[in-house]
Structures are given as structure tokens and as C-alpha cells.
Amino acid sequence: MTSERTSGAYAHALLQRHCRRLVELHGPVLANDGTEPLHQMRVSLRRLRSCLGQFGPCLRLPAAVDDSRLAKSVRRLGLARDLDVLQERLDEGLLPQLPEQERQRLKPVRRQLTRERTLAQEHLEKTLQSSRHLELIAELQGWLRQPTYSPLGEQPLHQWLPEWCLPGSASLMLHPGWWLRSPEENVDTLHDLRKRIKTVRYQLENLQELLDSRGRQWISQLKEGQSLLGELNDLSVLRKAIDDQLGSELDDAVPQLGWLLEQHRQHCWNRWIDLSRPITDRRERRRRLAGLLRWRSEGSHWGRLRHVLPVRHALIDKRTPLG
């Protein structure tokens, strides 16, 4: 009879996959070999950071495997990747739809984005070649060869699934960003909601094989929501970059572009409203939480989710007097 999979062993497999991918992408990113390696490395770093944050309590990691170091690397990659996205959105999505006169007026914007991308690559290369980053990867590789776990990490995975899976989703639904009435109402809150969605999405994807179809659908909807909020942010950043370079109102200097940006922004916001509407519905919120986990029955007392989530009358044992 095979032993049960532990939380520590499960986290080890995830970390090993992400670390291996980072090592594979190191050379292509330093060589600036297209936009895709950078995108994939950014995703791998984010997933690595998410895994460490989620399963940290069950791991005994070297001091060099530190979230602040990972955060710096993520920021450097993020800046370069964001500039790639803005350039692609402008060159491939918007410019072909503009009259020649407006395309000519946007040449300074394109040149400035190119300069900023070159500078971002220089900072990125310094970060990836820095002793702090290289030490982090080396220490993590060493730990992966000889992992050590906390007592929690030695516990069977299935006995701790609620703790690994549910709290992030539950707290996400309480975020005030779901109740905003327009993308301009509170930009910082909307930006924070996008980061929270991304965090929960990665945490759930870390446990995707344990989710039922409703849980996987929830991941898909989180991914779409993150994408929509990301597009809204990109459109706002691109508009500001163009305004700064033109030295005049965008809608006056390049009216067709202004119209396109506004149409796209409104389309994204309408889709976001449709996607987020179920969060404000009590029954739908409960249904989503109740569908997150596909419990396995082998030797587990967590046979049904109703033993984890409070349902009607479940918080009070009627046989036990209060006080």
C-alpha cells in the first residue's frame, strides 16, 4: 500500500517544476530572444512566488529563498513585459486601424516606448545576473535536492485541503473592488482587486487536479476577470503615455485613436460587469465556494464539503446550550 501524499511533497513537486522552467528560460531572456521567453519567465516567477506564499508554512527553506528577492525580480520582468504589451497593443492592434496622419503623429510615442524597453532590458539583465537572484535560485535548487519540511508539511495533503484552498477565495469575495460602478471610481482599488484575483487564481491552479468542474470553471472566470482588468489598466497606461508625448489632448490630436481606446475600454468594462455580477449574489457565492473541492474518500473524514463550510444551522449544535 502506497503512503499518502503529504502537503510538503506536493509543494515540492510544484516548486521543482517552476524552478526548472526558470533555469531553462534564463539564457533566452538575457539574450532578449523575442517577447515570449520573457513572458514565460515572468509567469514562472509569479507561480513560484505564489507557491512559496501558499505552502510556506509546511516548508523549511533556506534564508536566501526570500519573498523580497523574488518580488524584485518579478518587478524587473514586469516592467519589461508591460512595455512589450503596450508596444504590441499599439503596433498590432491600434495603428492598423488609424489614418496615416494619426500614425505619423504617434511616431514619437513609439520611439519613446522603444527607448524605455531598452532601458528596462538593461535593468532586467542586471537583476537576473545579480548575486542575490542567482543565490536564490541556487539555494532553492539545493533545497529541492534535499527538502526539509515542517511538521505540517509531513501531514497528508487531503487533510489540509480547506486550509490550502478556501481562505483566499473567501476573502477575495469580500474585496470592495467588486462594487465599483466605473473604472475611474477608484483606480487603486481596482488595481488591488486584479492583484488579489491573480493570487487566488494561482493558488487554485496549484490545486487544480483536486478541483471539480465547478472549481475549474471558477479558475477560468478568475483568469478572464484578471485579463479584463489588465486590459483596462493597459489602456489607461497607454493613453497616459501618448498624452505625455503628444503634449496635447489625445482626443484632439488623434481623434480616431481616442475613439478606439474609449470603445475598447467600455467593452472591457461591460464584460467585467457581467463577469462580476454573480459575486454580489449570495447563492452564487455559496455555490462557487461549495464547488471548489473534489474530496477524495480514501481514509479521509473530509468526505463532504459541508463538513468544512458552514451551512444553515451548522454553526450551532442545537444539543449544546449557549453561554
Side-chain angles (χ1 to χ4, degrees), residues 22 27 43 52 81 84 110 115 127 145 152 157 168 236 245 251 314 323:
L22 287 174
V43 170
L52 291 172
R81 173 59 186 169
D84 283 344
R110 299 172 67 196
R115 286 193 293 267
T127 298
R145 287 190 291 269
L152 175 60
L157 173 66
S236 176
Q245 285 298 309
D251 292 326

Side-chain angles (χ1 to χ4, degrees), residues 220-234:
S220 177
Q221 290 169 327
L222 289 175
K223 185 176 182 179
E224 183 181 1
Q226 179 188 334
S227 176
L228 290 171
L229 294 183
E231 286 191 50
L232 286 168
N233 181 72
D234 291 344

Side-chain angles (χ1 to χ4, degrees), residues 117-165:
R117 178 62 179 84
T118 300
L119 184 61
Q121 180 69 22
E122 294 174 1
H123 290 307
L124 170 60
E125 291 174 7
K126 288 180 181 178
T127 298
L128 294 182
Q129 293 174 317
S130 68
S131 58
R132 286 172 59 85
H133 179 82
L134 293 175
E135 182 186 15
L136 185 153
I137 299 299
E139 290 289 322
L140 179 57
Q141 288 178 313
W143 181 86
L144 288 169
R145 287 190 291 269
Q146 293 182 308
T148 55
Y149 307 111
S150 70
L152 175 60
E154 303 290 353
Q155 294 291 307
L157 173 66
H158 73 269
Q159 292 185 7
W160 292 88
L161 284 175
E163 286 74 16
W164 299 135
C165 189

Side-chain angles (χ1 to χ4, degrees), residues 296-316:
R296 297 187 175 182
S297 60
E298 59 270 15
S300 173
H301 63 284
W302 299 100
R304 295 178 182 271
L305 192 57
R306 68 168 182 264
H307 294 302
V308 182
L309 292 177
V311 293
R312 187 178 182 184
H313 304 312
L315 289 178
I316 300 175

Side-chain angles (χ1 to χ4, degrees), residues 29-45:
V29 172
L30 288 179
N32 200 12
D33 187 17
T35 61
E36 190 60 21
L38 172 62
H39 172 55
Q40 293 300 324
M41 177 176 270
R42 184 191 193 188
V43 170
S44 294
L45 270 175

Side-chain angles (χ1 to χ4, degrees), residues 16 84 90 107 122 124 133 135 139 197 199 202 226 244 263 268 320-321:
Q16 191 169 53
D84 283 344
L90 183 60
K107 281 187 175 180
E122 294 174 1
L124 170 60
H133 179 82
E135 182 186 15
E139 290 289 322
I197 288 174
T199 297
Y202 283 164
Q226 179 188 334
D244 290 344
Q263 291 298 306
C268 288
T320 304

Side-chain angles (χ1 to χ4, degrees), residues 33-292:
D33 187 17
T35 61
E36 190 60 21
L38 172 62
H39 172 55
Q40 293 300 324
M41 177 176 270
R42 184 191 193 188
V43 170
S44 294
L45 270 175
R46 282 177 166 178
R47 291 190 181 279
L48 176 65
R49 191 181 180 197
S50 171
C51 186
L52 291 172
Q54 184 176 12
F55 291 100
C58 72
L59 309 173
R60 286 180 173 167
L61 295 164
V65 183
D66 177 66
D67 184 71
S68 64
R69 298 191 186 194
L70 274 173
K72 181 177 180 180
S73 298
V74 170
R75 285 194 301 271
R76 291 301 191 193
L77 268 73
L79 176 59
R81 173 59 186 169
D82 289 344
L83 288 167
D84 283 344
V85 170
L86 291 181
Q87 286 181 315
E88 290 172 3
R89 190 176 295 280
L90 183 60
D91 291 345
E92 300 174 14
L94 295 169
L95 287 178
Q97 302 182 64
L98 300 180
E100 179 62 24
Q101 184 180 19
E102 292 195 18
R103 289 201 294 269
Q104 292 298 321
R105 287 180 178 174
L106 289 170
K107 281 187 175 180
V109 177
R110 299 172 67 196
R111 286 195 294 268
Q112 180 61 26
L113 287 175
T114 300
R115 286 193 293 267
E116 292 181 7
R117 178 62 179 84
T118 300
L119 184 61
Q121 180 69 22
E122 294 174 1
H123 290 307
L124 170 60
E125 291 174 7
K126 288 180 181 178
T127 298
L128 294 182
Q129 293 174 317
S130 68
S131 58
R132 286 172 59 85
H133 179 82
L134 293 175
E135 182 186 15
L136 185 153
I137 299 299
E139 290 289 322
L140 179 57
Q141 288 178 313
W143 181 86
L144 288 169
R145 287 190 291 269
Q146 293 182 308
T148 55
Y149 307 111
S150 70
L152 175 60
E154 303 290 353
Q155 294 291 307
L157 173 66
H158 73 269
Q159 292 185 7
W160 292 88
L161 284 175
E163 286 74 16
W164 299 135
C165 189
L166 290 176
S169 294
S171 64
L172 171 63
M173 294 182 184
L174 303 176
H175 196 283
W178 298 107
W179 304 91
L180 296 179
R181 293 167 293 183
S182 75
E184 298 87 9
E185 183 178 346
N186 193 320
V187 175
D188 291 339
T189 297
L190 204 61
H191 181 65
D192 184 72
L193 175 58
R194 178 165 66 102
K195 291 193 295 184
R196 191 79 63 86
I197 288 174
K198 177 182 63 182
T199 297
V200 172
R201 173 196 156 200
Y202 283 164
Q203 289 177 348
L204 292 178
E205 286 179 340
N206 284 338
L207 297 158
Q208 188 162 353
E209 67 182 76
L210 306 169
L211 303 180
D212 67 5
S213 59
R214 290 176 296 178
R216 291 190 292 273
Q217 182 185 27
W218 180 224
I219 290 176
S220 177
Q221 290 169 327
L222 289 175
K223 185 176 182 179
E224 183 181 1
Q226 179 188 334
S227 176
L228 290 171
L229 294 183
E231 286 191 50
L232 286 168
N233 181 72
D234 291 344
L235 292 171
S236 176
V237 172
L238 181 58
R239 187 181 185 98
K240 184 178 185 307
I242 295 172
D243 279 335
D244 290 344
Q245 285 298 309
L246 293 179
S248 60
E249 287 294 328
L250 181 150
D251 292 326
D252 294 332
V254 281
Q256 178 67 13
L257 176 61
W259 182 83
L260 287 172
L261 290 174
E262 177 57 26
Q263 291 298 306
H264 194 178
R265 186 190 70 89
Q266 194 58 53
H267 176 68
C268 288
W269 184 251
N270 290 339
R271 287 175 59 198
W272 164 254
I273 291 298
D274 290 340
L275 186 74
S276 63
R277 187 174 290 114
I279 299 300
T280 62
D281 180 82
R282 181 181 65 85
R283 289 184 178 180
E284 180 64 15
R285 286 197 308 277
R286 291 294 180 87
R287 188 188 71 82
R288 288 171 187 268
L289 286 176
L292 280 176

